Amino acid sequence: MTSEPFGDLIDRCRAAEEDLVRRWRADVAASLRGRISEIELDKELREILDAVLSSMSAADGADTRSSAYGEVRALLVDLSRGRALQGFSPRETAISVFALKKAVRESVGVGPEFTAFSDVIDELGLFTFETYTKAREEVISNQAEQLLELATPVVKLWQGVVALPLVGTLDSARAQVVMEKLLQTLVDTGSEYAIIDITGVPAVDTQVAQHLLKTIVAARLMGAECIISGIRPQIAQTIVALGIEFGDIATKATLADALLLALGRIGVDVTAEMSKRGL
Amino acid sequence: MERLPILKIGQMLLVSIQVDLRDDMVVALQEDLADRIVETGARGVVIDITALDIVDSFTGRMLATMAALSRVLDADTVVVGMRPAVAITLVELGLSLDGIKTALDVERGMRLLSLAGGSAR
Amino acid sequence: MTVQELPIAGDADVVRVRQAVRAAAVDAKLSLVDQTKLVTAASELARNTLTYGGGGGAVVEQVQNGLRKGVRAVFRDKGPGIADVAQALTDGFTSGSGMGLGLGGARRLVDEFAIETAPGDGTTVTVVKWAR
């Protein structure tokens, strides 16, 4: 049984299936240059071909968004996501679908119903491309998140004192993540003092300075104090030039001074601690 | 309407907010707290907001008013347990709750009050 | 995606609106801080609807823009409306209880903020917060 728009094309494809798959696979394999095994590719393409042909005979027309094409779409989502994760280019991914046209043309021949068939493949190709892009965007945003996590170590210096050594350029997004993590660490470790060391930060802009200030105010609302250490001369100039009020926020030249200040406020006797630990 | 319980611990009062705050409960708490401070002669108040997942401007104003109120009645107030996300949001909202003492948890809050000797520093 | 319509006629409704917004924000995978900001904004706006608008309703729904998910909340009342929107958005301005941070504060907590109002014509405030 064949449905109207595709004439007997589907039946002829079924009859020539072996030859069709061989040609299709050869084209796709050439573009992938052996990065996917022939056996794997063969299985993948056969599944897709079977689903495409079944969908075409089940569907009333070439609307690839209809439920008849559900299985094809699911297979193509798998294919394009897989290709995206393995780092294949958009072209290498889309050719897996588009090359089917050439294979059909060469193996079954071009009849009047080829146009309808071609339209379906075009639609499916575009769908593949869209899914591929989505998957890539997900990969990128995940990586960005992981990088942010890596770049924000909050370390415990003493019972009740944590430090956040910041290195590199702080943009607004990173500043936000860093500050949130710092505040959460205060709760998790029950620390009343946080030292934000910006020795490794080359410059700050207004937004970042504002983030810093907001974090300090937020920490106070939670019952903790922040000390900023390692402010470079240029950054001090920026802060003053921008008219940002640091008010009664404690600042120290070095991380060591900041730690001593925090220890003093907690009431730690450093000499006694040293002899207690045999240092 | 359910009212928030106010517990007396030694010379201090403890209010631990464990439910979603309705505005009318907040207003009632303010009245109850003033009554209890006078009744018990408490020198300090600990308000535990660990369980609160948001503090909006209305609740923020309530905290500030209660702190001011107890100061007039010779008691000190400490707000304890504010969550990081809540603190960040409050700052963004424009509330810094100046003049309110804060601590990480109830234990530290009580220690802060006893260090202050029950009178405003 | 579900659309929730909630009446705002009393203090308990404000709490229910907060809970509905929180659920939608969790669903849209907003970060904890962004959830908190949105719920706080919703709390301010729901209270405005109740206090100044004499009650009304809220519509909470998930929205999508490409890959990004978000939550939209619309607050509608048939109250007296606002004559001077710019003034109402200024920090410290209040015609009732609160710290006068309601509207302006809510605007700072969300990504998109729109207000439609005219004297005698009620007020509609729409806010959107996107997942980062």
Side-chain angles (χ1 to χ4, degrees), chain A residues 81-134:
Chain A
R81 289 190 67 91
R83 295 277 201 277
L85 295 178
Q86 289 160 34
F88 286 100
S89 74
R91 184 194 170 82
E92 288 162 342
T93 305
I95 199 143
S96 301
V97 177
F98 286 123
L100 177 58
K101 270 207 264 189
K102 188 173 157 224
V104 168
R105 202 167 56 226
E106 289 172 359
S107 164
V108 183
V110 181
E113 52 310 309
F114 187 76
T115 320
F117 171 78
S118 176
D119 285 348
V120 169
I121 298 302
D122 286 348
E123 275 304 318
L124 293 176
L126 289 176
F127 175 76
T128 310
F129 193 72
E130 244 171 34
T131 326
Y132 170 90
T133 313
K134 261 192 191 176

Side-chain angles (χ1 to χ4, degrees), chain B residues 15-90:
Chain B
V15 184
S16 190
I17 302 170
Q18 300 291 338
V19 292
D20 263 330
L21 275 184
R22 283 201 323 259
D23 291 0
D24 52 355
M25 291 161 66
V26 174
V27 175
L29 173 65
Q30 208 167 294
E31 288 164 11
D32 292 352
L33 189 64
D35 288 349
R36 289 280 280 165
I37 293 173
V38 173
E39 214 176 274
T40 59
R43 307 300 303 274
V45 179
V46 176
I47 303 175
D48 175 21
I49 60 167
T50 313
L52 277 192
D53 59 8
I54 71 151
V55 171
D56 58 16
S57 64
F58 186 86
T59 311
R61 185 182 69 118
M62 171 274 287
L63 293 174
T65 310
M66 287 201 289
L69 209 71
S70 42
R71 211 169 296 137
V72 173
L73 297 170
D74 195 23
D76 228 353
T77 302
V78 184
V79 172
V80 306
M82 187 182 291
R83 299 183 184 181
V86 173
I88 292 170
T89 303
L90 269 187

Side-chain angles (χ1 to χ4, degrees), chain A residues 219-259:
Chain A
R220 278 193 183 157
L221 285 174
M222 293 165 51
E225 277 299 316
C226 293
I227 303 166
I228 301 183
S229 66
I231 301 182
R232 292 156 165 252
Q234 301 97 304
I235 293 182
Q237 298 221 2
T238 317
I239 289 172
V240 174
L242 291 172
I244 296 164
E245 202 57 67
F246 261 55
D248 54 350
I249 293 160
T251 55
K252 285 284 161 229
T254 64
L255 184 57
D257 288 350
L259 177 60

Side-chain angles (χ1 to χ4, degrees), chain B residues 20-25 53-61 64 84-86 88-95 97, chain C residues 11-12 14-15 18-19 22 32-33 36-37 39-40 43-44 47 91 97-102 105-106 108-109:
Chain B
D20 263 330
L21 275 184
R22 283 201 323 259
D23 291 0
D24 52 355
M25 291 161 66
D53 59 8
I54 71 151
V55 171
D56 58 16
S57 64
F58 186 86
T59 311
R61 185 182 69 118
V86 173
I88 292 170
T89 303
L90 269 187
V91 174
E92 206 69 51
L93 193 60
L95 272 177
L97 300 182
Chain C
D11 288 342
V14 176
V15 175
R18 288 204 294 247
Q19 287 164 346
R22 169 76 67 176
L32 182 60
V33 172
T36 309
K37 286 181 178 174
V39 175
T40 307
S43 184
E44 302 288 347
R47 184 177 299 105
D91 279 355
S97 59
M99 287 185 138
L101 294 166
R108 276 196 297 277
L109 295 176

Side-chain angles (χ1 to χ4, degrees), chain C residues 3-109:
Chain C
V3 179
Q4 267 192 288
E5 288 196 53
L6 303 125
I8 303 176
D11 288 342
D13 293 328
V14 176
V15 175
R16 273 192 280 275
V17 169
R18 288 204 294 247
Q19 287 164 346
V21 171
R22 169 76 67 176
V26 171
D27 228 32
K29 296 201 166 63
L30 263 63
S31 73
L32 182 60
V33 172
D34 286 340
Q35 286 173 31
T36 309
K37 286 181 178 174
L38 178 64
V39 175
T40 307
S43 184
E44 302 288 347
L45 296 171
R47 184 177 299 105
N48 279 351
T49 302
L50 184 63
T51 316
Y52 306 118
V59 179
V60 182
E61 64 183 319
Q62 221 186 81
V63 286
Q64 188 138 13
N65 179 6
L67 264 185
R68 280 169 102 204
K69 276 187 187 169
V71 175
R72 175 165 58 215
V74 182
F75 298 84
R76 201 169 274 127
D77 68 56
K78 294 194 169 8
I82 302 170
D84 187 343
V85 175
Q87 187 193 32
L89 282 166
T90 314
D91 279 355
F93 176 80
T94 174
S95 53
S97 59
M99 287 185 138
L101 294 166
L103 267 189
R107 181 168 64 167
R108 276 196 297 277
L109 295 176

Side-chain angles (χ1 to χ4, degrees), chain A residues 180 183-184 187 190-192 214 218 220-223, chain B residues 82 84 87-88 90-92 96-97 102-104 108:
Chain A
E180 281 170 25
L183 295 179
Q184 189 55 51
V187 177
S191 300
E192 287 176 306
K214 283 178 186 170
R220 278 193 183 157
L221 285 174
M222 293 165 51
Chain B
M82 187 182 291
I88 292 170
L90 269 187
V91 174
E92 206 69 51
S96 57
L97 300 182
T102 53
L104 287 175
R108 287 184 171 85

